[in-house]
Amino acid sequence: MPAYRTRAERFDDLVLDAVERIERLWARQLVGTEFAVEDVPPSNPAPWEHGGVPLGRYFPSDAGLPARIVVYRRPVESRATDPLDLADLVRDVVVEQVAHLLGRSPDDVDPHYGDAH
């Protein structure tokens, strides 16, 4: 295992940690859901997005493709003030997108949603 990890690799690790935490609570409901990290969102916003750059997106399953949740690395990193804030923000983005998938509030998905260190 290399001693040095790139910023992108460390970000991927934060997303994996957040996903693992949520999957412990919602494993059955998330079966088949794919999670991914992309550097930036596509330039064409989704119809429901009004202004601002999205930090993540939920894509419902469609035509045999599984549901997919994407976290956008650069917009999330640009909003974080320090490494702890980045970890909290990544967790919150994952929770928000899972809440959208499940049709629940983020607080229902994770009781610690919005808690900062």
Side-chain angles (χ1 to χ4, degrees):
M1 182 181 240
Y4 176 76
R5 308 239 332 129
T6 66
R7 185 172 70 196
E9 290 170 332
R10 290 189 305 266
F11 188 89
D12 290 349
D13 290 342
L14 291 174
V15 172
L16 284 173
D17 290 345
V19 169
E20 287 173 359
R21 185 170 190 265
I22 294 300
E23 283 183 333
R24 284 194 296 270
L25 300 169
W26 298 95
R28 193 180 46 155
Q29 292 87 341
L30 296 175
V31 167
T33 302
E34 293 181 352
F35 291 86
V37 173
E38 293 181 13
D39 281 339
V40 294
S43 58
N44 56 333
W48 61 87
E49 294 172 334
H50 304 285
V53 176
L55 303 181
R57 275 194 186 144
Y58 158 63
F59 297 92
S61 60
D62 184 42
L65 297 172
R68 188 169 195 238
I69 290 175
V70 178
V71 180
Y72 298 113
R73 183 176 64 84
R74 287 188 180 170
V76 172
E77 286 178 336
S78 71
R79 285 166 179 75
T81 57
D82 59 42
L84 285 177
D85 187 44
L86 180 61
D88 288 341
L89 187 54
V90 165
R91 184 191 71 225
D92 285 352
V93 170
V94 170
V95 168
E96 289 166 1
Q97 299 311 311
V98 168
H100 189 60
L101 179 149
L102 299 176
R104 296 177 168 266
S105 77
D107 290 321
D108 288 343
V109 172
D110 183 350
H112 299 291
Y113 171 75
D115 290 353
H117 288 278

